[in-house]
């Protein structure tokens, strides 16, 4: 076994933890993460690398700017801390659209397609990336129709009004459901704010810090029966050293 | 089709039911093959498990819906359409099945549940049961099932204390209750003051390290807050992969074949002869002959296999005859209330799937229903499963769900709200059933299961009643603002409620009205057993796993009886 990782003295060592808790079936190992606990050699802490993650996998620059502006209205920067833009939410959404989620890869997309009742859920044939393409174009169209300006050139409350028209199905779009798109945009914005930073959002764990969420901790056994206490957050990357 | 050598028993699906059957039968020397359509699972898979996006929002451990889903409609006049994306319930997949990503809440049903029809008529008269409600006794009593509950609770190492309003126990839980968080203490104090009967939720998350009767040792729960939708990195949450499956494997008599999807049960005369499955990695169709076939997959696949293999008499919702597909039930989960506390923060980021305080005062027939327009009820609990940040952003009073005010309030209340929730029972109705969809197919060209189900007056009345009780408790707990359910609305496949789908292949004492006997042996086919919540004649106001586990232990006993003597074992 290799040495304990010295870089994260404050966190409970995963390897030590498992060793101490013991975990066997009469001599027969039933699993355990022991075998996978060889340090993977992540970059040293003080190396200030560029964030190579912040580039586009799917959006055009124009689409990216619309998403950045719209998500900032959903989760704005304020006295608590950064908004969606500074948290990297638009990058997060871009990256998500380029993978399984954008392709609806693990969802049933077989024909025939029929219009269903609301309680039957999404019945469209379009994938999320198609829905985004159409919706972002329609946001721009609606913005031009109402204000004769690009969405990204509008003032905050004007952008809100455009988004509210989508939320309330008050725009005339037939290929997608405007409110369905808005709900998806809202959900994926919160995902970008609060998911582990490994996905490109929640930059610097600031989403978690604003709500005093400790992120990924190995154990709360020592505090579960105590009153609320702020705990310094850590992300999944922290486990890689163990 | 390649035909393999015959084995004593083939089981279809290796989750709780399959794992229990395999461990019990192999211990007694039978040769068992387990066919599992998904992949192998082991504890080290969960190295990166504290990932809300991957597991809770992208459903990493769940069945891939692009290959197979169900179709749904509220009633027979509507065209059923596929559940294209997850919502109402989450289907398990892979070794351990849903037993990998459950919360570990392990309740016994009440004595009342097993004799629900008789007891309802006895106390309230026949008219208490609406004409359309196909309420049945289970063909077994609580006392008959008690030893099997005890066995499952010892295998899994349930941590808990006696339910003051529950059925009689032959022994106490094998482990003491889990720790009590400050919020749990508040719930306990408030409900005691209200003369209710709170007790610690029976939990499959171990309160201490534990060695079970099979010699399996597991570590104590760390309250890391990632249970539901996640696998346990410590093995502290009982799941089939860290309890019963290794026991079966150790005998050398259990062979698990993963990536093997069973597509037909093979039958000659009134006996089954084995199963046909597809190796999903090669596409090859293979025949596995066996003396005994045991279906141990989820409700929907147990049923689908019977219907596709023309075994048993399909249920006809018009005439009410036939049994396969009958009495599909669910759970009434929305009867709850959320309390916001302006001046108190809670450690709700911590928790465990079955960490909670619960009470049975409004469950079963523990309260008088004479002047109520429903039967049964549900548990009322405060459960601290861990409030992960993407999915927990409640704001008081139905304010804006985005923008400046939303951000401000959702951050303010992030650690300042508690939900008191009821888990309502679900009664069977004549027109709630499962059958094969006429249109939609899975990745192999086989028909999907079609669900016809909606909420009834029974459910609506139950939900608002229980929501009111939840709100009363939050008031006593000192919440500054309380939001509670006012109206249940129609059943909706898009919002998560509970993965407690039940019925379809129900147990009973009469072959005319039930599909399996009380050892879960098919009435029509002596060497076919169907194990799981598919046997429930209705669903109680609890999580179903303890009862599934107990029935699986009983079925294992029935299978041994059949193996020794043949014929119907009842």
């Amino acid at each position: 076994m290799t040495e304990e990782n010295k870089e994260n003295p404050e966190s409970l060592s995963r390897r030590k933890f498992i060793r101490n808790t013991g975990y066997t079936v009469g001599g027969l190992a039933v699993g355990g993460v022991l075998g996978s606990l060889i340090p993977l050699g992540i970059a040293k802490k003080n190396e200030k690398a560029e964030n190579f993650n912040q580039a586009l996998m799917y959006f055009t620059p124009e689409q990216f700017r619309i998403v950045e502006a719209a998500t900032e209205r959903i989760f704005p920067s304020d006295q608590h801390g950064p908004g969606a833009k500074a948290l990297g939410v638009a990058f997060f959404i871009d990256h998500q659209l380029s993978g399984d989620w954008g392709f609806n890869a693990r969802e049933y997309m077989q024909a025939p397609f029929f219009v269903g009742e609301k309680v039957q859920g999404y019945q469209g044939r379009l994938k999320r990336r198609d829905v985004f393409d159409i919706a972002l174009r329609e946001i721009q169209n609606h913005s031009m129709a109402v204000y004769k300006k690009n969405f990204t050139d509008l003032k905050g409350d004007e952008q809100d009004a455009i988004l509210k028209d989508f939320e309330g199905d008050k725009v005339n779009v037939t290929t997608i459901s405007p409110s369905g798109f808005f709900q998806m945009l809202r959900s994926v914005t919160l995902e970008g704010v609060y998911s582990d930073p490994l996905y490109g959002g929640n930059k610097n764990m600031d989403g978690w810090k604003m709500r005093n969420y400790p992120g990924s901790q190995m154990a709360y056994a020592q505090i579960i029966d105590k009153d609320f206490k702020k705990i310094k957050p850590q992300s999944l990357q922290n486990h890689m050293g163990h | 089709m390649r035909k393999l050598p015959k084995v004593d028993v083939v089981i279809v699906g290796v989750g709780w039911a399959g794992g229990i059957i395999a461990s019990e039968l192999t211990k007694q020397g039978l040769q068992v093959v387990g066919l599992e359509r998904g992949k192998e699972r082991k504890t080290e898979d969960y190295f990166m498990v504290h990932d809300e996006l991957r597991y809770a929002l992208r459903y990493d451990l769940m069945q891939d819906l692009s290959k197979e889903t169900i179709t749904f409609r509220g009633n027979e006049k509507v065209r059923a359409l596929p559940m294209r994306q997850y919502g109402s319930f989450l289907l398990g997949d892979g070794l351990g099945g849903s037993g990998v990503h459950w919360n570990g809440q392990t309740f016994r049903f009440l004595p009342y549940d097993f004799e629900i029809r008789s007891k309802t008529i006895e106390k309230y008269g026949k008219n208490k049961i609406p004409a359309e409600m196909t309420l049945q006794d289970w063909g077994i009593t609580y006392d008959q099932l008690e030893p099997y509950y005890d066995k499952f609770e010892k295998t899994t190492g349930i941590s808990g204390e006696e339910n003051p309003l529950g059925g009689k126990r032959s022994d106490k839980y094998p482990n003491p209750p889990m720790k009590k968080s400050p919020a749990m203490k508040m719930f306990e104090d408030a409900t005691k003051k209200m003369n209710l009967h709170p007790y610690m939720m029976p939990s499959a998350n171990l309160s201490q390290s534990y060695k079970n009767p099979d010699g399996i040792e597991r570590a104590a729960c760390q309250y890391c807050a990632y249970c539901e939708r996640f696998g346990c990195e410590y093995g502290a949450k009982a799941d089939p992969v860290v309890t019963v499956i290794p026991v079966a494997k150790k005998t050398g008599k259990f062979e698990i074949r993963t990536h093997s999807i069973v597509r037909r049960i093979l039958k000659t005369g009134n006996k089954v002869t084995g199963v046909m499955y597809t190796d999903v990695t090669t596409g090859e169709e293979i025949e596995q002959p066996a003396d005994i076939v045991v279906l141990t997959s989820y409700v929907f696949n147990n049923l689908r296999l019977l219907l596709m293999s023309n075994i048993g008499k399909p249920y006809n919702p018009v005439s009410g005859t036939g049994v396969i597909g009958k009495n599909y039930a669910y759970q009434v989960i929305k009867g709850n209330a959320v309390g916001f506390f302006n001046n108190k923060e809670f450690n709700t980021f911590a928790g465990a799937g079955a960490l909670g305080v619960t009470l049975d005062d409004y469950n079963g027939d523990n309260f008088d229903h004479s002047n109520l327009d429903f039967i049964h009820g549900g548990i009322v609990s405060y459960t601290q499963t861990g409030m992960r940040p993407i999915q927990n952003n409640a704001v008081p009073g139905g304010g804006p769900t985005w923008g400046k005010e939303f951000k401000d309030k959702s951050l303010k209340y992030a650690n300042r709200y508690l939900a008191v929730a009821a888990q309502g029972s679900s009664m069977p109705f004549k027109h709630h059933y499962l059958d094969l969809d006429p249109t939609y197919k899975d990745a192999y060209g086989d028909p999907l299961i079609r669900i016809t189900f909606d909420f009834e007056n029974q459910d609506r009345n139950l939900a608002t009643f229980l929501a009111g009780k939840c709100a009363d408790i939050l008031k006593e707990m000192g919440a500054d603002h309380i939001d509670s359910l006012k109206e249940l609305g129609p059943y909706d496949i898009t919002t998560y409620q509970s993965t407690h789908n039940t019925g379809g292949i129900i147990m009973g004492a009469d072959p005319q009205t039930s599909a399996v006997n009380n050892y879960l042996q098919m009435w029509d086919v002596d060497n076919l057993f169907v194990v799981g919540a598919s046997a429930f004649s209705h669903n109680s106001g609890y999580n179903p796993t303890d009862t599934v586990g107990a029935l699986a232990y009983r079925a294992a006993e029935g299978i041994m009886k059949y193996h020794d003597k043949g014929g119907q074992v009842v």
Side-chain angles (χ1 to χ4, degrees):
Chain A
M1 271 292 153
T2 41
E3 278 280 300
E4 303 289 348
N5 189 314
K6 300 276 195 325
E7 287 184 353
N8 300 296
E10 78 222 46
S11 69
L12 174 60
S13 153
R14 184 186 193 93
R15 180 145 29 99
K16 191 169 165 200
F17 183 85
I18 304 248
R19 193 187 291 150
N20 290 345
T21 48
Y23 180 37
T24 54
V25 190
L28 179 82
V30 292
V33 284
L34 264 176
S36 63
L37 294 179
I38 298 140
L40 298 175
I42 51 165
K44 294 220 165 40
K45 265 201 169 166
N46 295 331
E47 249 174 50
K48 191 143 194 194
E50 291 171 67
N51 188 348
F52 295 109
N53 185 271
Q54 294 212 334
L56 298 180
M57 298 178 186
Y58 181 69
F59 288 141
T60 64
E62 187 200 6
Q63 287 177 319
F64 178 76
R65 283 191 294 270
I66 297 169
V67 170
E68 205 169 45
T71 54
E72 180 69 15
R73 296 314 300 168
I74 290 171
F75 198 86
S77 165
D78 66 1
Q79 75 277 12
H80 298 288
K85 184 176 175 179
L87 290 166
V89 167
F91 285 109
F92 167 84
I93 297 174
D94 172 75
H95 297 0
Q96 288 290 306
L97 284 173
S98 76
D100 278 1
W101 186 76
F103 282 102
N104 301 48
R106 297 182 76 239
E107 290 162 10
Y108 192 81
M109 295 301 283
Q110 290 184 46
F113 294 93
F114 295 102
V115 175
E117 299 191 336
K118 204 173 161 218
V119 294
Q120 292 177 304
Y122 182 67
Q123 293 297 333
R125 63 187 74 212
L126 296 174
K127 295 169 177 159
R128 288 190 183 86
R129 43 170 47 202
D130 308 322
V131 172
F132 261 86
D133 284 349
I134 293 167
L136 296 178
R137 195 179 64 225
E138 294 297 342
I139 284 178
Q140 201 67 297
N141 289 345
H142 191 52
S143 177
M144 290 305 282
V146 179
Y147 296 109
K148 303 203 169 27
K149 278 184 192 167
N150 285 325
F151 181 75
T152 47
D153 294 332
L154 299 180
K155 293 197 201 84
D157 53 350
E158 293 169 339
Q159 289 176 332
D160 287 353
I162 297 290
L163 293 173
K164 272 182 192 151
D165 285 348
F166 275 76
E167 184 185 25
D169 278 321
K170 286 179 188 128
V171 281
N172 189 20
V173 182
T174 52
T175 42
I176 60 162
S177 152
S179 60
F181 168 75
F182 182 83
Q183 286 312 324
M184 175 161 74
L185 184 67
R186 179 204 176 256
S187 307
V188 78
T189 299
L190 290 184
E191 289 172 5
V193 169
Y194 292 128
S195 56
D196 192 279
L198 90 89
Y199 293 100
N202 188 14
K203 197 175 169 194
N204 195 33
M205 300 189 282
D206 282 341
W208 291 344
K209 286 173 192 166
M210 282 187 278
R211 60 189 283 154
N212 291 325
Y213 182 73
S216 174
Q217 304 284 334
M218 289 303 293
Y220 294 121
Q222 302 310 314
I223 61 108
I224 187 69
D225 51 0
K226 311 277 191 312
D227 281 327
F228 176 83
K229 201 181 140 231
K230 206 165 144 176
I231 295 172
K232 198 177 161 204
Q234 59 184 31
S235 73
L236 284 169
Q237 192 186 36
N238 203 277
H239 291 337
M240 295 299 285
H242 292 277
Chain B
M1 187 162 58
R2 182 153 63 98
K3 191 170 174 175
L4 299 172
K6 192 162 105 168
V7 293
D8 293 325
V9 179
V10 64
I11 61 174
V12 180
V14 189
W16 270 127
I20 289 169
I21 301 285
S23 72
E24 292 307 291
L25 301 187
T26 53
K27 275 193 253 174
Q28 295 179 70
L30 270 59
Q31 194 71 39
V32 180
V33 164
L35 298 173
E36 168 55 52
R37 66 180 178 176
K39 63 179 183 183
E40 172 81 22
R41 288 199 195 288
K42 49 201 181 307
T43 304
E44 68 190 59
D45 294 349
Y46 312 124
F47 183 46
M48 286 279 141
V49 81
H50 294 177
D51 186 338
E52 186 186 11
L53 185 72
R54 173 176 170 187
Y55 292 98
L57 282 300
R58 301 287 182 266
Y59 313 112
D60 194 87
L61 297 175
M62 312 307 170
Q63 174 178 312
D64 180 349
L65 294 183
S66 74
K67 297 198 169 69
E68 185 191 329
T69 184
I70 53 89
T71 70
F72 158 70
R73 58 183 178 173
N75 63 68
E76 288 180 272
K77 295 190 194 92
V78 178
R79 185 202 308 269
L81 293 174
M83 177 175 79
R84 295 186 181 276
Q85 307 174 348
Y86 275 118
S88 174
F89 47 82
L90 302 173
L91 304 164
D93 193 37
L95 196 64
S98 306
V100 167
H101 52 78
W102 69 316
N103 260 334
Q105 302 175 13
T106 316
F107 295 95
R108 296 180 176 197
F109 284 9
L110 294 163
Y112 160 80
D113 280 306
F114 301 99
E115 299 166 88
I116 189 167
R117 184 175 181 86
S118 308
K119 284 180 187 276
T120 302
I121 291 171
E122 190 184 304
K123 188 160 168 193
Y124 303 105
K126 251 195 160 125
N127 293 337
K128 188 73 182 171
I129 304 170
E132 302 277 278
M133 191 190 282
T134 48
L135 202 61
Q136 280 181 212
D137 292 351
W138 288 41
I140 196 167
T141 62
Y142 171 85
D143 289 341
Q144 280 175 293
L145 200 57
E146 202 282 336
Y148 307 98
Y149 271 130
D150 185 62
K151 192 155 189 193
F152 183 67
E153 289 161 3
K154 283 175 177 156
T155 299
T156 46
I158 300 308
S159 304
E161 61 189 6
E162 187 163 348
N163 173 3
L165 301 176
K168 230 186 240 145
R169 302 182 59 89
S170 59
D171 199 357
K172 57 186 191 324
Y173 285 110
N175 286 300
M178 300 184 79
K179 295 184 183 190
K180 222 172 268 176
S181 74
M184 288 161 69
K185 192 88 190 38
M186 278 168 65
F187 176 91
E188 185 187 41
D189 292 345
T191 52
K192 273 189 178 160
K193 230 190 220 169
M194 296 164 82
N195 295 317
L196 300 171
H197 298 82
Y199 70 105
M200 287 290 284
M201 184 173 279
S203 166
N205 320 129
L206 291 177
S207 60
Q208 59 185 15
S209 59
Y210 172 68
K211 184 175 181 176
N212 82 3
D214 289 319
I216 298 268
E217 285 181 63
R218 289 157 46 222
C221 173
Q222 296 303 309
Y223 304 86
C224 81
Y226 286 79
C227 278
E228 62 199 342
R229 307 189 184 190
F230 308 89
C232 182
E233 61 199 321
Y234 299 118
K237 175 173 77 179
D239 96 34
V241 179
V242 298
T243 55
V244 286
I245 292 171
V247 172
K249 275 182 168 169
K250 204 182 168 190
T251 63
K253 303 245 171 217
F254 186 40
E255 186 195 341
I256 299 173
R257 286 183 216 139
T258 51
H259 304 286
S260 301
I261 184 163
V262 176
R263 298 182 46 219
R264 294 293 182 279
I265 307 160
L266 305 172
K267 191 178 162 208
T268 307
N270 56 5
K271 287 270 170 66
V272 291
T273 58
V275 298
M276 184 276 274
Y277 69 96
T278 297
D279 176 341
V280 302
T281 63
T282 61
E284 187 186 9
E285 291 184 357
I286 300 168
E287 180 180 346
Q288 175 61 64
D291 287 330
I292 299 167
V293 176
V294 192
L295 303 188
T296 50
S297 64
Y298 201 60
V299 168
F300 300 120
N301 273 331
N302 281 353
L303 189 91
R304 205 160 79 105
L305 279 172
L306 290 182
L307 290 174
M308 292 195 306
S309 310
N310 296 312
I311 293 172
K313 193 176 174 209
Y315 176 64
N316 180 332
V318 180
S319 64
T321 57
V323 288
I324 310 298
K326 178 182 162 174
N327 281 28
Y328 172 70
Y330 189 49
Q331 201 90 72
V332 180
I333 213 89
K334 292 182 175 174
N336 59 35
V338 179
F340 296 84
F341 297 77
N342 290 334
N343 303 312
K344 191 161 171 54
E345 273 190 283
F346 301 96
N347 61 358
T348 43
F349 53 78
L355 180 67
V357 184
T358 188
L359 51 88
D360 255 337
D361 298 77
Y362 307 111
N363 204 359
D365 200 35
N366 288 344
F367 58 113
D368 185 41
H369 289 71
S370 301
N371 298 313
L372 295 170
D373 40 14
F374 61 89
I375 62 166
H376 214 305
I379 49 168
V380 171
S381 320
Y382 168 68
T383 317
Q384 190 161 338
T385 56
M387 282 167 61
R388 294 167 296 273
I390 301 172
Q391 291 194 293
N392 294 285
N393 287 287
V395 290
T401 59
W402 58 282
K404 194 170 168 32
E405 188 186 338
F406 166 74
K407 183 183 175 190
D408 186 51
K409 286 205 168 144
S410 64
L411 291 178
K412 177 181 172 186
Y413 287 105
N415 304 303
R416 286 188 172 93
Y417 73 91
L418 305 174
V420 170
Q423 175 150 236
S425 56
S426 175
M427 297 303 111
F429 284 82
K430 195 180 170 190
H431 48 284
H432 296 173
Y433 65 101
L434 304 172
D435 64 355
L436 295 177
D437 191 273
T439 307
Y440 291 97
K441 307 269 191 274
D442 71 5
Y444 305 94
D446 288 331
L448 301 180
I449 281 290
R450 174 170 67 180
I451 301 175
T452 305
F453 177 82
D454 202 352
F455 289 134
E456 305 290 334
N457 281 333
Q458 153 80 23
D459 306 305
R460 287 186 274 274
N461 299 334
L462 174 72
T464 45
F465 174 85
L466 290 173
K469 299 298 176 192
C470 295
D472 291 346
I473 292 170
L474 277 165
K475 198 170 166 204
E476 184 68 36
M477 287 166 74
D480 295 298
H481 177 90
I482 298 165
D483 289 328
S484 65
L485 178 92
K486 299 287 177 255
E487 200 188 341
L488 181 61
Y491 173 66
D492 167 4
I493 199 97
T494 67
T495 52
Y496 186 77
Q497 290 152 69
S498 132
T499 307
H500 302 162
N501 314 76
T502 64
I505 313 164
I506 62 174
M507 62 192 289
D510 178 358
Q512 291 304 310
T513 54
S514 62
V516 292
N517 66 30
N518 66 21
Y519 284 94
L520 308 193
Q521 180 184 30
M522 287 280 295
W523 288 115
D524 297 353
V525 186
D526 292 344
N527 64 338
L528 178 59
F529 290 74
V530 187
V531 186
S534 52
F536 294 10
S537 180
H538 69 274
N539 199 11
S540 185
Y542 295 111
N543 307 62
T545 304
D546 205 4
T547 303
V548 171
L551 288 174
Y553 274 110
R554 184 170 166 90
E557 204 179 288
I559 293 166
M560 285 313 295
K561 282 188 189 194
Y562 172 80
H563 177 74
D564 295 341
K565 288 190 191 135
Q568 284 285 310
V569 299
V570 283

